[in-house]
Amino acid sequence: MTAFAPRFDLSRARDVAGAGSRRFWSTLEELVDEKGFRALLQAEFPEVSSMFDDPGRRQFLKLMGASLLLGGLSACSDNKSDYALPYVNQPEDVIPGVARYYATGVLFDGYVQPVVATTYAGRPTKLDGNPDHPAARGKSDAFAQTAIFQLYDPERSKVPLRGGVPSTWDVFANALVDMRARWRERGGEGLHVLLGPTTSPTLQRQIAALTSQFPKMHWSHLPPAGFARQDEAMRLAFGRPVVPHFRLGRCEVIVSLDHDLLGPGAHQVLHANAWAQHRGEVAPGQGRSRLHVAESVPSLTGTVASVRLASDPERIALLAQALGADFAVAGFARPDLQPAEQKWLERAVAELRAHGGHSLLTIGPQFDPSIQALAPLINEQLKNTNATVWYSDPIHLSAADAQPLATLTAEIEAGVVDTLIMIDCNPVYGSPGALKFADLVSRVGNRVHVGLHADETAQLCRWHLPLSHALEGWSDGRAVDGTATIIQPTVRPLYASRSVHQVFDLLAGANDPAADGAVRATWREAFGSAFEARWTRALHDGFVADNAARPVTLSPKAPPPPQSQSDEADRIKVVFQLDPTVWDGRFANIAWLQELPKPLTKITWDNVIAISPAIAERYKLSNGDIAEVTVDGRSVRGAVWVVPGQAARTVALYFGYGRRAGGDVAVGAGYDAFAVWPSETDWLARGAIARVPGNYAIATTQAHQRMDGFDLVR
């Protein structure tokens, strides 16, 4: 494609925006070629008809309209739902135009996001944060808001598929009889279940029941995205896995080593609510909390920092070692730091000490566990434990007996896996490229996939079973603070789908299990004789009262010092990031999220290879140029984007794009960063970058709606 952006010239940009400059700018192109940028603005929408001459815009309008049709279009599928049609005889308790509200939850990365669903005539139309929930406090994020679009996605799976051909649940149940007979003969040997991230108490009970039936079966559990190394870090610090909880509202000083506390993710609403408590003057003489951030890629947390240091990941690891030395942690020696690093560290340490009991040190979960384990020890010394940070037992599904994905892959390669059942996950797309999962999964004789879409994994399976959405099925789970929610449906299933609990009951031998049977059984045991009253109260409130995670009393110990690594000046530092709008790709078929500008870059509909201005200057790269990034012999190509404020030798790769199945909106955009991902635990890597021929026009809203440079509207 023809480039529309001028070539990036770092020296020119520095001259224009140098010291003493009063020039305002919103894109790097403005600093390079003002006339070219003005021409671009003037030509942005020359005439409405030109939009329809572009096939890309025409396709966008078609797909965007499909997602916005909500349930009206979903009723036009081949497998029409009896509950998605207009009323013939209107129920007496339904009044047209009068809303009903249900307190329930939607799922994100396994956690429950507590919401209140607004419904009209039996269909949900809007989700808002539950104002009574201790974690939500009436707030929600973009992912919770767009769960409605995912429910009404016209490309959701509608019927079971056998070899890609439409089938029925009865046919699958008959096939399952033969599979269960083989499992019984071998005690479950050769059976493996792979689960997506979950916090469901019912699912944990069902896994235990299935394991008791087939004691030789194995199962794997994918952890929340980006937190695979945190459990190991907590084991180093406390001897067992625990979950840290931060009370940002009590912090007068926060020091963050590349931990995006306020960025997109399951904890964003909780942390943003708490952070807002200390953003203004709390009381006379008490100012807002101070935030010191050292990070490699600009983040939402970095944008609100009092002091921000742009630093490559390996330099941040050295800052952590220096922190360990300053707090006299055994085995940690002070490394040589650059002047800017030394200045940042001295200020951060001084403020941490000056506000003991009201400060917080946090280290990103992507770092070496021995570096992460410094945070609990230093917070303990500062008397921050149980004040600004506390620890609880794991909230996610206990994975003590679960196998890592790498172990499952090795067993498939060894030929010992006969049946592989993958539920609410997409490992063919979302697993590290080094594991070659997509190449190996076809070796398994019986492959069953259960999910919302016929995605990359479903296409390689003999059976694909449609999964019910959280808004149309019974389930349960926990929020990030540990509070349990009983998820109740707000609409009857639109398609021939089943909940994850119904699927597990089928695997256990049940015949046509009830939609709410498994969930009721779990909470009947938990509530005891007061079941009916407490069940009704939990459905009304949207959560189970007095059920949040509780602090555990533990004493951290000094972690072993991390192994020293040589700093190779000719190797770039590759940082793997979750996309802030489509996450790990599970939301890629939601056009509303594709159109949502990403924080800071304001890019839509694509992912980019984010590079620093220094890398752009060294490799002669400009916005939209195509570059190839190589990590451990595997390469990926994508369009680059120059990001001011990014660390000098850092390249950021974003997950969630490069999809090959899962819907028209999802497929075809961007590059697949999973192809070069080394492992589930390696979110930092070393690699190389090279420019290759080609250019790609990136859509960004960064320069839209500008007012500076124009006369005021009178």
Side-chain angles (χ1 to χ4, degrees):
M1 299 180 68
T2 304
F4 63 79
R7 301 297 307 168
F8 179 74
D9 185 341
L10 182 62
S11 60
R12 165 65 177 161
R14 285 171 173 163
D15 290 341
V16 175
S21 171
R22 299 194 176 199
R23 170 75 177 274
F24 292 98
W25 55 276
S26 58
T27 66
L28 290 175
E29 283 78 5
E30 295 177 69
L31 300 180
V32 181
D33 184 359
E34 180 179 359
K35 293 182 179 179
F37 181 74
R38 291 291 183 186
L40 175 64
L41 281 181
Q42 293 171 2
E44 183 179 0
F45 299 114
E47 54 185 4
V48 176
S49 61
S50 67
M51 180 175 65
F52 298 96
D53 295 334
D54 183 355
R57 295 298 294 179
R58 186 166 58 249
Q59 178 72 357
F60 154 70
L61 290 173
K62 180 180 72 174
L63 298 176
M64 194 70 173
S67 290
L68 294 177
L69 285 179
L70 298 179
L73 187 57
S74 68
C76 299
S77 66
D78 292 337
N79 183 36
K80 294 181 180 179
S81 167
D82 292 338
Y83 305 103
L85 298 174
Y87 292 121
V88 177
N89 296 311
Q90 180 176 305
E92 293 182 1
D93 59 343
V94 174
I95 303 175
V98 176
R100 281 190 168 190
Y101 303 92
Y102 294 87
T104 183
V106 293
L107 298 174
F108 177 58
D109 224 3
Y111 290 105
V112 168
Q113 293 182 296
V115 297
V116 174
T118 302
T119 68
Y120 287 92
R123 292 191 188 183
T125 59
K126 183 71 168 66
L127 301 179
D128 295 289
N130 187 335
D132 298 325
H133 194 284
R137 301 295 183 191
K139 307 299 191 297
S140 63
D141 62 8
F143 299 110
Q145 290 290 317
T146 53
I148 286 284
F149 295 108
Q150 192 175 50
L151 168 69
Y152 293 121
D153 184 352
E155 295 184 286
R156 268 183 56 199
S157 294
K158 299 175 177 61
V159 297
L161 301 177
R162 183 180 186 180
V165 178
S167 184
T168 67
W169 283 94
D170 288 339
V171 175
F172 172 72
N174 291 334
L176 189 59
V177 171
D178 295 334
M179 285 189 275
R180 280 181 48 82
R182 289 195 299 272
W183 301 343
R184 281 195 300 269
E185 291 175 3
R186 305 173 59 183
E189 185 178 358
L191 169 62
H192 200 114
V193 177
L194 176 61
L195 295 171
T198 180
T199 59
S200 170
T202 295
L203 195 55
Q204 186 160 358
R205 177 184 63 79
Q206 290 179 302
I207 290 172
L210 192 65
T211 304
S212 65
Q213 272 196 51
F214 308 109
K216 294 183 180 179
M217 68 167 279
H218 291 152
W219 65 281
S220 297
H221 167 230
L222 300 179
F227 285 85
R229 299 189 114 183
Q230 189 179 81
D231 282 350
E232 187 179 349
M234 295 301 102
R235 284 192 186 95
L236 285 178
F238 299 109
R240 66 185 182 94
V242 294
V243 178
H245 300 263
F246 306 123
R247 294 180 174 132
L248 303 187
R250 299 185 182 183
C251 296
E252 296 176 0
V253 172
I254 301 173
V255 175
S256 168
L257 295 183
D258 216 350
H259 190 180
D260 191 11
L261 292 168
L262 305 178
H267 293 78
Q268 185 177 36
V269 170
L270 178 67
H271 287 169
N273 274 339
W275 170 253
Q277 297 175 20
H278 239 66
R279 284 303 291 156
E281 188 168 284
V282 180
Q286 298 181 21
R288 62 177 56 187
S289 59
R290 291 182 57 78
L291 175 59
H292 299 257
V293 174
E295 61 183 7
S296 55
V297 179
S299 69
L300 288 177
T301 304
T303 61
V304 297
S306 306
V307 183
R308 180 185 181 271
L309 175 69
S311 185
D312 293 303
E314 291 176 352
R315 303 302 303 180
I316 294 176
L318 294 180
L319 285 172
Q321 292 186 47
L323 267 171
D326 282 356
F327 284 89
V329 179
F332 282 77
R334 174 177 277 275
D336 293 331
L337 298 178
Q338 299 168 358
E341 295 171 337
Q342 183 64 38
K343 180 180 179 181
W344 181 91
L345 183 68
E346 289 177 354
R347 294 174 66 179
V349 170
E351 292 213 31
L352 281 174
R353 294 187 184 278
H355 296 84
H358 298 279
S359 59
L360 175 68
L361 169 65
T362 177
I363 301 174
Q366 69 272 26
F367 287 101
D368 186 299
S370 60
I371 290 177
Q372 291 186 56
L374 276 174
L377 187 64
I378 293 176
N379 282 321
E380 179 80 8
Q381 291 188 29
L382 294 169
K383 302 186 186 311
N384 293 332
T385 305
N386 294 326
T388 60
V389 59
W390 58 279
Y391 305 92
S392 74
D393 290 324
I395 295 173
H396 264 263
L397 179 67
S398 175
D401 300 323
Q403 289 185 346
L405 188 59
T407 303
L408 167 60
T409 307
E411 289 189 352
I412 294 175
E413 191 169 15
V416 299
V417 179
D418 172 71
T419 302
L420 178 58
I421 300 173
M422 294 163 282
I423 302 176
D424 197 20
C425 59
N426 185 10
V428 169
Y429 166 74
S431 59
L435 295 182
K436 301 179 180 179
F437 191 91
D439 299 330
L440 295 172
V441 71
S442 58
R443 299 185 185 183
V444 180
N446 295 310
R447 305 180 299 277
V448 180
H449 176 259
V450 186
L452 288 173
H453 294 87
D455 54 27
E456 293 86 345
T457 301
Q459 292 191 342
L460 296 182
C461 289
R462 293 191 173 183
W463 279 99
H464 166 67
L465 307 175
L467 185 68
S468 294
H469 191 274
L471 292 173
E472 61 182 5
W474 288 92
S475 187
D476 56 11
R478 298 186 182 276
V480 292
D481 68 341
T483 301
T485 289
I486 298 173
I487 300 174
Q488 61 176 320
T490 61
V491 64
R492 298 289 184 93
L494 301 177
Y495 309 119
S497 62
R498 300 289 187 273
S499 72
V500 63
H501 308 296
Q502 289 176 289
V503 172
F504 255 90
D505 280 347
L506 285 173
L507 297 178
N511 182 23
D512 193 19
D516 62 345
V519 180
R520 280 182 175 269
T522 299
W523 293 99
R524 191 179 299 277
E525 180 180 347
F527 291 155
S529 59
F531 169 73
E532 290 297 341
R534 297 189 65 184
W535 172 268
T536 303
R537 174 68 183 273
L539 292 180
H540 174 272
D541 295 347
F543 59 94
V544 180
D546 302 322
N547 194 253
R550 301 185 183 279
V552 294
T553 302
L554 299 168
S555 296
K557 59 183 179 181
Q563 297 180 354
S564 60
Q565 296 182 347
S566 59
D567 189 7
E568 303 175 36
D570 60 332
R571 301 292 299 277
I572 65 169
K573 321 305 176 187
V574 180
V575 177
F576 293 92
Q577 300 261 298
L578 292 155
D579 189 87
T581 58
V582 302
W583 204 238
D584 58 358
R586 71 187 67 186
F587 304 111
N589 207 50
I590 301 177
W592 191 91
L593 284 175
Q594 292 278 15
E595 187 74 0
L596 181 67
K598 305 182 195 304
L600 306 184
T601 66
K602 303 303 179 184
I603 290 170
T604 63
W605 288 94
D606 270 301
N607 63 346
V608 294
I609 299 174
I611 62 175
S612 66
I615 290 178
E617 181 181 35
R618 178 179 176 183
Y619 293 94
K620 309 303 180 186
L621 290 165
S622 185
N623 287 347
D625 286 343
I626 305 300
E628 182 177 75
V629 176
T630 303
V631 178
D632 295 339
R634 293 178 301 278
S635 300
V636 68
R637 293 186 177 186
V640 303
W641 193 263
V642 185
V643 179
Q646 187 156 306
R649 288 186 289 168
T650 295
V651 166
L653 299 181
Y654 289 87
F655 294 130
Y657 286 84
R659 296 291 305 275
R660 302 174 292 280
D664 285 346
V665 175
V667 171
Y671 62 87
D672 180 9
F674 286 108
V676 295
W677 192 25
S679 75
E680 294 175 274
T681 59
D682 290 329
W683 290 74
L684 306 172
R686 297 181 182 182
I689 188 171
R691 184 182 174 189
V692 296
N695 194 276
Y696 184 84
I698 300 294
T700 175
T701 65
Q702 176 69 24
H704 290 203
Q705 312 299 331
R706 286 166 42 100
M707 286 297 296
D708 57 289
F710 298 92
D711 193 12
L712 298 177
V713 177
R714 300 186 184 280

